[in-house]
Amino acid sequence: TRLVKQAFFCDECPDERVREFETREMAPYESMALPLATFSMFANPEKIVRAAGLSKSSERGSGEELRPRVLVIAGEKDKLMKPEEMGKLARLLRRSVRLVLGSVAREDDSHEGIRDGVEFRVVRGSGHQMMNDIHWEECAEKILRFLQ
């Protein structure tokens, strides 16, 4: 329980909640396949952008006025997928949108907010398991706002 909490939850999360997650959500064993897979790119950002329906024919103008089609969300205290890394993912996706749309690059595209059809948000205080951590309501609100 202590190791699961350290890896997936914020320090303030009660141990009982972590134990519940362990018994309800986790496999009885962990495979090394997932951690090893994270060392290489497992998704093609340009394919993600196109799958989100962004193309020169579907959008006019630059990516500035695009409604967000992709949400990148990070837990502030996530030790596995740190907010800085998730910000890099948002930047990569935003650059892919600009590549597809033929827009110009910007320097500030890894910050929180909406740019180029990609929304990046951080759930304050949350660990990796945002929807099981004590800050799950803030995470759910961010997702709901994105979907609306």
Side-chain angles (χ1 to χ4, degrees):
T1 300
R2 184 178 57 81
L3 293 175
V4 170
K5 184 174 181 176
Q6 284 178 341
F8 296 117
F9 294 87
C10 69
D11 295 338
E12 299 80 22
C13 190
D15 289 347
E16 306 81 54
R17 191 177 190 118
V18 177
R19 278 192 284 282
E20 182 182 326
F21 169 78
E22 289 174 313
T23 57
R24 197 176 33 126
E25 305 283 337
M26 286 186 73
Y29 63 89
E30 287 296 317
S31 169
M32 283 304 291
L34 180 62
L36 291 174
T38 62
F39 288 117
S40 62
M41 179 66 75
F42 57 90
N44 180 318
E46 194 170 334
K47 284 185 182 178
I48 293 170
V49 167
R50 291 187 193 282
L54 295 168
S55 67
K56 282 189 178 182
S57 61
S58 70
E59 302 290 340
R60 288 183 288 158
S62 71
E64 297 266 344
E65 58 274 345
L66 293 178
R67 179 183 70 76
R69 305 262 180 106
V70 177
L71 173 64
V72 176
I73 193 162
E76 179 185 37
K77 295 183 179 179
D78 190 336
K79 296 172 186 106
L80 301 175
M81 301 294 290
K82 296 182 179 182
E84 299 80 25
E85 296 304 314
M86 298 305 285
K88 288 178 187 177
L89 173 61
R91 181 176 59 231
L92 180 63
L93 290 167
R94 289 168 176 165
R95 286 180 179 168
S96 296
V97 169
R98 289 192 302 270
L99 178 70
V100 168
L101 298 181
S103 305
V104 295
R106 282 194 302 250
E107 292 300 316
D108 67 343
D109 59 0
S110 65
H111 294 94
E112 259 193 280
I114 300 170
R115 288 177 203 60
D116 302 309
V118 176
E119 183 171 348
F120 176 48
R121 299 291 177 202
V122 176
V123 177
R124 305 288 169 227
S126 184
H128 185 75
Q129 276 292 329
M130 287 178 268
M131 292 306 291
N132 289 300
D133 209 332
I134 59 175
H135 303 282
W136 71 270
E137 289 176 337
E138 181 183 342
C139 181
E141 287 171 10
K142 290 177 187 305
I143 293 169
L144 183 61
R145 278 194 300 269
F146 169 78
L147 293 172
Q148 292 172 337

